[in-house]
Amino acid sequence: MEILIPAERIQSRVAEMATDIARVYNGKPVTVVGILTGCLMFTADLIRRIDLPLRVGFLTASSYRGPTTVASKLIIRDDLLPDISGRHILLLDDILDTGKTLTRVVAHLIDRGAEAVKVAVLLRKIGRQEVPFEPDFVGFTIPDQFVVGYGLDFNDEYRHLPDIAVLQASEPR
Ligand code: 5GP
Ligand code: MG
């Protein structure tokens, strides 16, 4: 596999993001919400560097594509999330692709009573967005290639790799 972003570059960029985030929140308490499972490493590395009063929780968002439907349905499960009403949420996702997941999860958190939601993504893919969505913090912008590692999977494999690598196009997704 071709390494796209080596572990050291990820670490230094995540540290920069944490500094930016702390500056923007300016001492205000934040509830970090990670979208499992891809957010695993990003969340763990980022929150250790954010100098703010901080809570953390997780939810899952999975899209199911039925055999006859083109549109995917997103199932959000948030039963493990702490109470977020009135809180300032920093939502974390591994990668912004079409934008559908984040658009829907932000709406869901507002629905659940969040006071405000900002979004940080580690990766943003060029030329893939289908819905207008602007994240507040972006780690790296990457070309339209399927990546794995640092939390990102292919069939639940490769999440543990410390680097972000491109899965060869010859391999099926
Ligand atoms: P969106 O709703 O923005 O299209 O989808 C975002 C989700 O799709 C991500 O949270 C991630 O789970 C998955 N995804 C999109 N692109 C990639 C990729 O290149 N590699 C992996 N492993 N997952 C991806
Ligand atoms: Mg995901």
Side-chain angles (χ1 to χ4, degrees):
M1 266 190 281
E2 176 208 337
I3 292 179
L4 186 67
I5 312 173
E8 311 75 60
R9 263 187 80 206
I10 301 173
Q11 293 303 322
S12 61
R13 182 67 189 127
V14 168
E16 286 173 4
M17 292 178 82
T19 305
D20 288 349
I21 288 163
R23 191 185 317 117
V24 167
Y25 279 93
N26 193 23
K28 214 167 20 179
V30 63
T31 300
V32 171
V33 174
I35 303 178
L36 291 171
T37 305
C39 75
L40 180 65
M41 310 254 192
F42 180 40
T43 306
D45 287 340
L46 187 73
I47 61 176
R48 278 181 282 183
R49 295 176 175 276
I50 296 179
D51 185 16
L52 291 171
L54 189 146
R55 290 180 171 80
V56 61
F58 296 95
L59 53 76
T60 66
S62 1
S63 26
Y64 291 100
R65 227 172 272 268
T68 57
T69 55
V70 180
S72 60
K73 189 167 179 255
L74 192 75
I75 312 284
I76 298 170
R77 294 194 53 184
D78 65 358
D79 31 304
L80 298 176
L81 202 62
D83 182 21
I84 58 162
S85 56
R87 298 206 189 282
H88 289 260
I89 306 294
L90 176 65
L91 181 63
L92 305 186
D93 203 4
D94 48 6
I95 183 163
L96 173 62
D97 188 27
T98 65
K100 289 176 183 171
T101 303
L102 281 166
T103 304
R104 293 184 210 175
V105 174
V106 168
H108 180 84
L109 295 173
I110 295 289
D111 231 47
R112 289 280 311 266
E115 173 70 24
V117 181
K118 290 189 192 296
V119 172
V121 294
L122 180 67
L123 306 173
R124 177 184 201 163
K125 256 191 215 179
I126 293 174
R128 287 279 304 167
Q129 248 180 278
E130 293 175 18
V131 293
F133 181 89
E134 274 312 306
D136 300 275
F137 308 94
V138 176
F140 301 93
T141 299
I142 63 165
D144 182 12
Q145 290 175 306
F146 193 82
V147 291
V148 296
Y150 196 71
L152 290 131
D153 75 308
F154 170 65
N155 278 350
D156 281 316
E157 266 191 272
Y158 309 117
R159 292 195 198 274
H160 65 296
L161 302 177
D163 311 299
I164 291 170
V166 175
L167 200 67
Q168 299 312 323
S170 57
E171 301 179 55
R173 289 189 187 183

PDB file of all heavy atoms in Angstrom, residues 154-168:
ATOM      1  N   PHE A 154     -11.185  -0.770   5.514  1.00  0.00           N
ATOM      2  CA  PHE A 154     -11.825  -1.417   4.381  1.00  0.00           C
ATOM      3  C   PHE A 154     -12.329  -2.749   4.922  1.00  0.00           C
ATOM      4  O   PHE A 154     -11.531  -3.559   5.406  1.00  0.00           O
ATOM      5  CB  PHE A 154     -10.848  -1.638   3.215  1.00  0.00           C
ATOM      6  CG  PHE A 154     -11.418  -2.517   2.142  1.00  0.00           C
ATOM      7  CD1 PHE A 154     -12.513  -2.079   1.402  1.00  0.00           C
ATOM      8  CD2 PHE A 154     -10.905  -3.775   1.897  1.00  0.00           C
ATOM      9  CE1 PHE A 154     -13.071  -2.879   0.429  1.00  0.00           C
ATOM     10  CE2 PHE A 154     -11.461  -4.589   0.926  1.00  0.00           C
ATOM     11  CZ  PHE A 154     -12.535  -4.140   0.191  1.00  0.00           C
ATOM     12  N   ASN A 155     -13.638  -2.962   4.910  1.00  0.00           N
ATOM     13  CA  ASN A 155     -14.227  -4.163   5.515  1.00  0.00           C
ATOM     14  C   ASN A 155     -13.749  -4.387   6.945  1.00  0.00           C
ATOM     15  O   ASN A 155     -13.442  -5.523   7.332  1.00  0.00           O
ATOM     16  CB  ASN A 155     -13.910  -5.405   4.678  1.00  0.00           C
ATOM     17  CG  ASN A 155     -14.870  -5.544   3.520  1.00  0.00           C
ATOM     18  OD1 ASN A 155     -15.874  -4.827   3.441  1.00  0.00           O
ATOM     19  ND2 ASN A 155     -14.574  -6.458   2.617  1.00  0.00           N
ATOM     20  N   ASP A 156     -13.641  -3.309   7.717  1.00  0.00           N
ATOM     21  CA  ASP A 156     -13.215  -3.341   9.117  1.00  0.00           C
ATOM     22  C   ASP A 156     -11.763  -3.731   9.340  1.00  0.00           C
ATOM     23  O   ASP A 156     -11.328  -3.913  10.469  1.00  0.00           O
ATOM     24  CB  ASP A 156     -14.143  -4.224   9.972  1.00  0.00           C
ATOM     25  CG  ASP A 156     -15.414  -3.481  10.325  1.00  0.00           C
ATOM     26  OD1 ASP A 156     -15.315  -2.294  10.703  1.00  0.00           O
ATOM     27  OD2 ASP A 156     -16.507  -4.061  10.189  1.00  0.00           O
ATOM     28  N   GLU A 157     -11.003  -3.795   8.263  1.00  0.00           N
ATOM     29  CA  GLU A 157      -9.573  -4.053   8.393  1.00  0.00           C
ATOM     30  C   GLU A 157      -8.799  -2.745   8.246  1.00  0.00           C
ATOM     31  O   GLU A 157      -9.345  -1.761   7.732  1.00  0.00           O
ATOM     32  CB  GLU A 157      -9.119  -5.013   7.290  1.00  0.00           C
ATOM     33  CG  GLU A 157      -9.105  -6.476   7.697  1.00  0.00           C
ATOM     34  CD  GLU A 157      -8.386  -7.304   6.653  1.00  0.00           C
ATOM     35  OE1 GLU A 157      -9.073  -7.732   5.703  1.00  0.00           O
ATOM     36  OE2 GLU A 157      -7.168  -7.486   6.767  1.00  0.00           O
ATOM     37  N   TYR A 158      -7.555  -2.780   8.635  1.00  0.00           N
ATOM     38  CA  TYR A 158      -6.576  -1.696   8.430  1.00  0.00           C
ATOM     39  C   TYR A 158      -6.738  -0.500   9.364  1.00  0.00           C
ATOM     40  O   TYR A 158      -5.980   0.464   9.257  1.00  0.00           O
ATOM     41  CB  TYR A 158      -6.580  -1.166   6.981  1.00  0.00           C
ATOM     42  CG  TYR A 158      -6.462  -2.212   5.916  1.00  0.00           C
ATOM     43  CD1 TYR A 158      -7.485  -2.402   4.997  1.00  0.00           C
ATOM     44  CD2 TYR A 158      -5.326  -3.018   5.830  1.00  0.00           C
ATOM     45  CE1 TYR A 158      -7.392  -3.365   3.999  1.00  0.00           C
ATOM     46  CE2 TYR A 158      -5.219  -3.985   4.834  1.00  0.00           C
ATOM     47  CZ  TYR A 158      -6.261  -4.151   3.924  1.00  0.00           C
ATOM     48  OH  TYR A 158      -6.161  -5.103   2.946  1.00  0.00           O
ATOM     49  N   ARG A 159      -7.707  -0.507  10.257  1.00  0.00           N
ATOM     50  CA  ARG A 159      -7.922   0.671  11.112  1.00  0.00           C
ATOM     51  C   ARG A 159      -6.717   0.964  11.998  1.00  0.00           C
ATOM     52  O   ARG A 159      -6.491   2.095  12.402  1.00  0.00           O
ATOM     53  CB  ARG A 159      -9.135   0.454  12.024  1.00  0.00           C
ATOM     54  CG  ARG A 159     -10.472   0.407  11.308  1.00  0.00           C
ATOM     55  CD  ARG A 159     -11.592   0.568  12.327  1.00  0.00           C
ATOM     56  NE  ARG A 159     -12.885   0.124  11.833  1.00  0.00           N
ATOM     57  CZ  ARG A 159     -13.727   0.881  11.127  1.00  0.00           C
ATOM     58  NH1 ARG A 159     -13.388   2.105  10.797  1.00  0.00           N
ATOM     59  NH2 ARG A 159     -14.890   0.411  10.741  1.00  0.00           N
ATOM     60  N   HIS A 160      -5.971  -0.074  12.332  1.00  0.00           N
ATOM     61  CA  HIS A 160      -4.892   0.063  13.307  1.00  0.00           C
ATOM     62  C   HIS A 160      -3.608   0.640  12.724  1.00  0.00           C
ATOM     63  O   HIS A 160      -2.675   0.939  13.465  1.00  0.00           O
ATOM     64  CB  HIS A 160      -4.586  -1.314  13.914  1.00  0.00           C
ATOM     65  CG  HIS A 160      -4.046  -2.281  12.903  1.00  0.00           C
ATOM     66  ND1 HIS A 160      -4.776  -2.713  11.828  1.00  0.00           N
ATOM     67  CD2 HIS A 160      -2.827  -2.865  12.798  1.00  0.00           C
ATOM     68  CE1 HIS A 160      -4.043  -3.543  11.105  1.00  0.00           C
ATOM     69  NE2 HIS A 160      -2.849  -3.642  11.672  1.00  0.00           N
ATOM     70  N   LEU A 161      -3.541   0.805  11.409  1.00  0.00           N
ATOM     71  CA  LEU A 161      -2.296   1.312  10.810  1.00  0.00           C
ATOM     72  C   LEU A 161      -2.043   2.753  11.265  1.00  0.00           C
ATOM     73  O   LEU A 161      -2.957   3.569  11.270  1.00  0.00           O
ATOM     74  CB  LEU A 161      -2.389   1.268   9.281  1.00  0.00           C
ATOM     75  CG  LEU A 161      -2.663  -0.105   8.665  1.00  0.00           C
ATOM     76  CD1 LEU A 161      -2.799   0.019   7.146  1.00  0.00           C
ATOM     77  CD2 LEU A 161      -1.565  -1.093   9.034  1.00  0.00           C
ATOM     78  N   PRO A 162      -0.807   3.098  11.622  1.00  0.00           N
ATOM     79  CA  PRO A 162      -0.529   4.452  12.105  1.00  0.00           C
ATOM     80  C   PRO A 162      -0.491   5.501  10.997  1.00  0.00           C
ATOM     81  O   PRO A 162      -0.659   6.687  11.262  1.00  0.00           O
ATOM     82  CB  PRO A 162       0.845   4.320  12.773  1.00  0.00           C
ATOM     83  CG  PRO A 162       1.471   3.104  12.176  1.00  0.00           C
ATOM     84  CD  PRO A 162       0.350   2.195  11.773  1.00  0.00           C
ATOM     85  N   ASP A 163      -0.281   5.074   9.750  1.00  0.00           N
ATOM     86  CA  ASP A 163      -0.255   5.993   8.608  1.00  0.00           C
ATOM     87  C   ASP A 163      -1.598   5.941   7.886  1.00  0.00           C
ATOM     88  O   ASP A 163      -2.365   5.007   8.062  1.00  0.00           O
ATOM     89  CB  ASP A 163       0.816   5.569   7.586  1.00  0.00           C
ATOM     90  CG  ASP A 163       2.166   5.299   8.223  1.00  0.00           C
ATOM     91  OD1 ASP A 163       2.728   6.239   8.817  1.00  0.00           O
ATOM     92  OD2 ASP A 163       2.649   4.144   8.134  1.00  0.00           O
ATOM     93  N   ILE A 164      -1.813   6.936   7.017  1.00  0.00           N
ATOM     94  CA  ILE A 164      -2.956   6.864   6.109  1.00  0.00           C
ATOM     95  C   ILE A 164      -2.417   6.430   4.751  1.00  0.00           C
ATOM     96  O   ILE A 164      -1.464   7.018   4.228  1.00  0.00           O
ATOM     97  CB  ILE A 164      -3.693   8.207   6.039  1.00  0.00           C
ATOM     98  CG1 ILE A 164      -4.388   8.459   7.378  1.00  0.00           C
ATOM     99  CG2 ILE A 164      -4.717   8.211   4.902  1.00  0.00           C
ATOM    100  CD1 ILE A 164      -4.946   9.844   7.545  1.00  0.00           C
ATOM    101  N   ALA A 165      -2.999   5.358   4.211  1.00  0.00           N
ATOM    102  CA  ALA A 165      -2.496   4.764   2.978  1.00  0.00           C
ATOM    103  C   ALA A 165      -3.608   4.640   1.949  1.00  0.00           C
ATOM    104  O   ALA A 165      -4.795   4.606   2.286  1.00  0.00           O
ATOM    105  CB  ALA A 165      -1.908   3.380   3.277  1.00  0.00           C
ATOM    106  N   VAL A 166      -3.209   4.585   0.687  1.00  0.00           N
ATOM    107  CA  VAL A 166      -4.174   4.424  -0.403  1.00  0.00           C
ATOM    108  C   VAL A 166      -4.342   2.943  -0.680  1.00  0.00           C
ATOM    109  O   VAL A 166      -3.358   2.229  -0.881  1.00  0.00           O
ATOM    110  CB  VAL A 166      -3.691   5.135  -1.683  1.00  0.00           C
ATOM    111  CG1 VAL A 166      -4.642   4.866  -2.846  1.00  0.00           C
ATOM    112  CG2 VAL A 166      -3.551   6.631  -1.430  1.00  0.00           C
ATOM    113  N   LEU A 167      -5.603   2.517  -0.667  1.00  0.00           N
ATOM    114  CA  LEU A 167      -5.874   1.123  -1.029  1.00  0.00           C
ATOM    115  C   LEU A 167      -5.884   1.053  -2.545  1.00  0.00           C
ATOM    116  O   LEU A 167      -6.564   1.840  -3.199  1.00  0.00           O
ATOM    117  CB  LEU A 167      -7.232   0.700  -0.452  1.00  0.00           C
ATOM    118  CG  LEU A 167      -7.463  -0.791  -0.307  1.00  0.00           C
ATOM    119  CD1 LEU A 167      -6.546  -1.385   0.750  1.00  0.00           C
ATOM    120  CD2 LEU A 167      -8.915  -1.068   0.052  1.00  0.00           C
ATOM    121  N   GLN A 168      -5.106   0.161  -3.130  1.00  0.00           N
ATOM    122  CA  GLN A 168      -4.941   0.126  -4.588  1.00  0.00           C
ATOM    123  C   GLN A 168      -6.286  -0.051  -5.293  1.00  0.00           C
ATOM    124  O   GLN A 168      -7.143  -0.795  -4.843  1.00  0.00           O
ATOM    125  CB  GLN A 168      -3.985  -0.999  -4.993  1.00  0.00           C
ATOM    126  CG  GLN A 168      -2.579  -0.841  -4.413  1.00  0.00           C
ATOM    127  CD  GLN A 168      -2.005   0.568  -4.595  1.00  0.00           C
ATOM    128  OE1 GLN A 168      -2.230   1.211  -5.626  1.00  0.00           O
ATOM    129  NE2 GLN A 168      -1.288   1.068  -3.595  1.00  0.00           N
TER     130      GLN A 168
END
